[in-house]
Amino acid sequence: MSTRIGIMGYGNLGRGVECAIKQNDDMELVAVFTRRDPSTVTILTEGVKVESVDKVLDYQDKIDVMILCGGSATDLPNQTPEYAKYFNVIDSFDTHARIPEHFDAVDKAAKEHDHLACISVGWDPGMFSLNRLYANAILSEGKDYTFWGKGVSQGHSDAIRRIEGVLDARQYTIPVEEALEAVRSGKNPELTTRQKHTRECFVVLKPGADAAKVEEEIKTMPNYFDEYDTTVHFISEEELKRDHNGIPHGGFVIRSGVTGWNKENKHIIEYNLKLDSNPEFTTSVLVCFARAIDRMYKEGQRGCKTVFDIAPAYLTKLTSEELRQTML
Amino acid sequence: MSTRIGIMGYGNLGRGVECAIKQNDDMELVAVFTRRDPSTVTILTEGVKVESVDKVLDYQDKIDVMILCGGSATDLPNQTPEYAKYFNVIDSFDTHARIPEHFDAVDKAAKEHDHLACISVGWDPGMFSLNRLYANAILSEGKDYTFWGKGVSQGHSDAIRRIEGVLDARQYTIPVEEALEAVRSGKNPELTTRQKHTRECFVVLKPGADAAKVEEEIKTMPNYFDEYDTTVHFISEEELKRDHNGIPHGGFVIRSGVTGWNKENKHIIEYNLKLDSNPEFTTSVLVCFARAIDRMYKEGQRGCKTVFDIAPAYLTKLTSEELRQTML
């Protein structure tokens, strides 16, 4: 029997979930819910309804897992605990510092209403978190490193767009190759913010804007850019559309540790991602964890989980026998 | 409360487990069991007994998990089901093709005697298997690649040692850099055995042996070397001891897949290991899974598990709250 999925919110993530469902024949898209006028929202899947969010409760018996595709700043802190009252839910909440309180709110709602939930699913938090955990469990003495990129940072791009005189912008976070190599060599370097990543900005100016002033404002922006070596390129609107239309991302989680009676042996564990589409990869992770949530709910599990609490075998449609035969 | 560990067999793996326990303050070594005369076996940990294997049943109430450190060819197929009658057990059984039958035997014994077991724990099978599973669950359309090395293959070294005229030998398996790069670029190449790995042999001859004949025998050895580009170096016994004394290994698990409505976006997931000591890394994995087995047994779980069946949170001594705060 398929896992019946609802999508709440139809932006990049919602569309990514829709695409991932198409690639998994045991998953079925039941409906897409939107706060917009449903008649203005066109989705890719034929025969599937776009519904107003006001209709969502009509679907309580028709959906196994609701995938919440809102943003972490304002949508998910409210949506995930709210919808956990009516559905099994899963989200990609990625404000690391606020995960504990978000977990508590969702866990309470899910337990009170007899549902199963999973938060903070994607690649960071998500697969990067899992790799930090496994690597720390194995190498109990060592040092962790996370590098991000090369990829588009939505938050930094938005920050540039808010500067006066800027029409549009795209910001790439780039890991510093020498720092990566030092980590991989087992040298356990202490790296400053500046030594780990550089930032490259492609900016389209409004007519008459002062390029030098914009560049200065970017490079000195507190938290976002002032601690980094930042390069600014001014380009045309056409160039931005032509050359910077994608949303690639990726990164590296590396643990460097020691074993042996006298800690004489070094080991490096590295996990890395190169992603053409950040939202589509995130939603591919969401969809396989939605499968797990459906199976674990049917086994009687309730409350809120994270990627740490889910045995990997739940993520695939293969049986345990098939997994042992083909992947172990 | 600590997890009380017994070690069955004191070779490279047994010693590795002993070292890993020293690095984890919630793990306690209770005793080492050997088929040899215990008085001839000296271990590293002060105050811990070496016992004859005949005494093992005296320890049923003193050990939470018995870590079986025998070989996969002849020891573990008998030992793991046998000791699952008396203890919770964990092994690193690595004969991939025989995993299903080994699982069935251990599962039956563990269930009949109310114990919990885990087989095939290490890095391949083990962490590489986990990464194959996660990557396949996320990218349902794609291609898997596993490369091993650079590292010492014990089986291939042994095969060379059996050739007439050979005193000692060490064989390194080396991944072909061009093949790795082609995979990482997302080209999804079809690779032959020869294109993926090369083999490099360091051989010490007996006095009067015919080097050309030995080299020919190595290079044409069926299964072991005939399908590979193999290099043979003849060195002195001193050089072998000085330059090839370690047991390094490692490798790469890569999945290259696509997402998007028209499969237009490529993604690469890579996991790689660089290990100074193959047995010490394997046993570091064993020890954290032994922690999980102890916790899951105390929660009431029985039968045989693999790495696929164990939620990652069980592997560390951190609480779920701590994990969410520090690693998610």
Side-chain angles (χ1 to χ4, degrees):
Chain A
M1 213 178 77
S2 323
T3 298
R4 299 168 303 168
I5 299 289
I7 294 175
M8 176 62 66
Y10 195 70
N12 283 333
L13 287 179
R15 201 157 26 240
V17 169
E18 186 182 16
C19 293
I21 290 172
K22 186 191 180 196
Q23 291 187 293
N24 287 281
D25 61 15
D26 64 328
M27 311 295 280
E28 181 197 343
L29 178 58
V30 174
V32 172
F33 299 91
T34 179
R35 286 178 291 206
R36 292 176 270 170
D37 174 355
S39 69
T40 66
V41 176
T42 308
I43 65 171
L44 302 165
T45 313
E46 278 182 37
V48 170
K49 263 194 162 174
V50 180
E51 290 275 25
S52 163
V53 69
D54 305 331
K55 295 272 183 65
V56 71
L57 294 192
D58 298 348
Y59 282 82
Q60 272 196 274
D61 297 332
K62 296 175 189 147
I63 285 173
D64 295 310
V65 183
M66 183 69 80
I67 303 184
L68 302 170
C69 297
S72 296
T74 56
D75 297 329
L76 298 176
N78 298 311
Q79 284 184 351
T80 316
E82 176 63 18
Y83 289 116
K85 296 179 185 168
Y86 312 109
F87 298 95
N88 298 321
V89 292
I90 180 167
D91 76 20
S92 59
F93 185 79
D94 66 0
T95 312
H96 291 263
R98 299 191 58 190
I99 285 175
E101 60 185 291
H102 186 55
F103 179 90
D104 290 341
V106 176
D107 191 49
K108 185 166 180 290
K111 280 181 176 153
E112 281 177 6
H113 295 84
D114 205 34
H115 286 120
L116 186 60
C118 189
I119 62 160
S120 302
V121 176
W123 60 275
D124 196 2
M127 295 311 300
F128 274 18
S129 323
L130 276 171
N131 276 280
R132 285 188 280 263
L133 190 162
Y134 277 116
N136 274 270
I138 297 167
L139 297 175
S140 50
E141 295 184 66
K143 204 163 152 49
D144 290 309
Y145 296 88
T146 302
F147 292 87
W148 294 274
K150 180 182 176 178
V152 172
S153 165
Q154 209 54 55
H156 287 76
S157 302
D158 288 344
I160 299 174
R161 284 189 204 102
R162 285 192 294 264
I163 293 175
E164 198 187 315
V166 171
L167 185 70
D168 202 353
R170 199 78 80 255
Q171 194 270 179
Y172 294 91
T173 304
I174 305 169
V176 175
E177 195 59 41
E178 297 73 41
L180 254 177
E181 285 314 313
V183 169
R184 284 179 174 147
S185 74
K187 284 178 192 154
N188 284 9
E190 293 290 339
L191 297 167
T192 63
T193 299
R194 193 179 297 277
Q195 287 170 325
K196 287 183 71 184
H197 298 94
T198 57
R199 298 196 178 278
E200 190 170 18
C201 314
F202 294 86
V203 180
V204 181
L205 292 174
K206 286 181 186 163
D210 180 344
K213 189 160 167 285
V214 168
E215 179 165 348
E216 179 66 15
E217 270 200 64
I218 293 173
K219 290 186 169 175
T220 58
M221 196 185 294
N223 303 317
Y224 284 88
F225 293 101
D226 63 338
E227 291 177 47
Y228 297 87
D229 290 332
T230 301
T231 317
V232 178
H233 309 277
F234 293 102
I235 60 175
S236 70
E237 205 173 348
E238 292 67 39
E239 286 171 309
L240 190 82
K241 284 215 174 94
R242 186 190 67 205
D243 303 334
H244 305 282
N245 198 34
I247 319 174
H249 220 313
F252 305 79
V253 173
I254 303 175
R255 185 163 174 86
S256 163
V258 291
T259 65
W261 195 252
N262 299 305
K263 307 180 189 185
E264 62 271 32
N265 289 313
K266 282 187 183 179
H267 306 273
I268 307 283
I269 304 175
E270 172 175 340
Y271 181 77
N272 72 62
L273 297 173
K274 282 190 217 75
L275 313 175
D276 272 2
S277 166
N278 182 353
E280 286 179 12
F281 189 82
T282 298
T283 50
S284 296
V285 181
L286 274 166
V287 164
C288 72
F289 277 87
R291 177 188 288 124
I293 288 302
D294 182 34
R295 294 171 66 182
M296 292 165 70
Y297 173 79
K298 285 168 181 162
E299 285 182 12
Q301 301 205 44
R302 300 296 184 264
C304 189
K305 307 286 175 187
T306 74
V307 295
F308 298 153
D309 306 309
I310 295 178
Y314 284 112
L315 301 173
T316 88
K317 61 175 177 179
L318 297 180
T319 65
S320 290
E321 289 75 17
E322 289 168 331
L323 285 178
R324 289 192 293 270
Q325 269 166 26
T326 60
M327 289 195 196
L328 196 59
Chain B
M1 212 177 77
S2 325
T3 298
R4 300 167 304 168
I5 300 289
I7 294 175
M8 175 62 65
Y10 196 70
N12 283 332
L13 287 179
R15 198 154 31 239
V17 170
E18 186 182 17
C19 293
I21 290 171
K22 186 191 181 195
Q23 291 187 291
N24 287 281
D25 60 14
D26 64 330
M27 312 294 281
E28 181 198 343
L29 178 59
V30 174
V32 172
F33 300 91
T34 178
R35 285 177 293 206
R36 293 175 270 171
D37 173 355
S39 69
T40 66
V41 176
T42 308
I43 66 171
L44 302 164
T45 313
E46 276 182 39
V48 169
K49 263 195 163 173
V50 181
E51 289 277 23
S52 163
V53 69
D54 305 332
K55 295 272 182 67
V56 73
L57 293 193
D58 298 349
Y59 283 81
Q60 273 195 272
D61 297 332
K62 295 175 190 149
I63 285 173
D64 295 310
V65 183
M66 182 70 81
I67 303 184
L68 301 170
C69 298
S72 296
T74 56
D75 297 330
L76 298 176
N78 299 311
Q79 283 183 353
T80 316
E82 176 61 19
Y83 289 116
K85 296 179 186 170
Y86 312 108
F87 298 95
N88 298 322
V89 291
I90 182 166
D91 76 20
S92 59
F93 184 78
D94 66 0
T95 313
H96 291 262
R98 298 191 59 189
I99 285 174
E101 60 185 292
H102 187 54
F103 180 89
D104 290 340
V106 176
D107 190 49
K108 185 168 181 285
K111 280 181 177 154
E112 280 176 7
H113 295 83
D114 205 33
H115 286 120
L116 186 59
C118 190
I119 62 160
S120 302
V121 176
W123 57 277
D124 196 3
M127 294 311 298
F128 274 19
S129 323
L130 276 170
N131 276 279
R132 284 187 282 263
L133 191 161
Y134 278 116
N136 274 269
I138 297 166
L139 296 175
S140 51
E141 295 183 65
K143 205 163 152 46
D144 290 310
Y145 296 88
T146 303
F147 293 86
W148 293 274
K150 180 183 177 175
V152 172
S153 164
Q154 210 55 54
H156 287 78
S157 301
D158 288 344
I160 300 173
R161 284 187 204 104
R162 286 192 294 265
I163 293 174
E164 200 187 314
V166 171
L167 185 70
D168 202 352
R170 198 77 81 250
Q171 193 271 177
Y172 294 91
T173 304
I174 305 169
V176 174
E177 196 58 42
E178 297 75 38
L180 254 177
E181 284 314 312
V183 169
R184 283 177 174 149
S185 74
K187 284 179 192 153
N188 285 9
E190 293 290 337
L191 297 167
T192 63
T193 299
R194 190 178 300 275
Q195 287 170 324
K196 287 182 70 185
H197 297 93
T198 57
R199 298 195 177 280
E200 189 169 21
C201 314
F202 295 86
V203 180
V204 181
L205 292 173
K206 286 179 184 163
D210 179 344
K213 191 160 166 284
V214 167
E215 180 165 346
E216 178 65 14
E217 269 200 64
I218 293 173
K219 290 185 170 177
T220 58
M221 195 185 297
N223 304 317
Y224 284 88
F225 293 101
D226 62 339
E227 291 178 46
Y228 297 86
D229 290 331
T230 301
T231 317
V232 178
H233 308 277
F234 293 101
I235 60 174
S236 71
E237 204 172 347
E238 292 67 40
E239 286 171 311
L240 190 83
K241 284 215 175 96
R242 187 191 66 204
D243 303 332
H244 304 282
N245 197 36
I247 320 175
H249 219 315
F252 305 79
V253 173
I254 303 174
R255 185 163 175 86
S256 164
V258 291
T259 65
W261 195 251
N262 299 304
K263 306 179 189 183
E264 62 272 31
N265 288 313
K266 283 186 181 180
H267 305 274
I268 307 283
I269 304 173
E270 172 174 339
Y271 181 77
N272 72 62
L273 297 173
K274 281 190 219 75
L275 314 175
D276 272 3
S277 165
N278 182 353
E280 285 179 10
F281 188 81
T282 298
T283 51
S284 295
V285 181
L286 274 166
V287 164
C288 72
F289 277 87
R291 176 187 289 125
I293 288 301
D294 182 33
R295 295 171 65 184
M296 291 164 71
Y297 173 79
K298 285 167 182 165
E299 286 184 11
Q301 301 205 44
R302 300 295 184 266
C304 188
K305 305 286 177 191
T306 73
V307 294
F308 298 153
D309 306 309
I310 295 176
Y314 284 111
L315 300 172
T316 88
K317 63 175 177 179
L318 298 181
T319 65
S320 290
E321 289 74 18
E322 289 168 331
L323 285 178
R324 288 192 293 269
Q325 268 166 26
T326 60
M327 289 196 196
L328 196 57

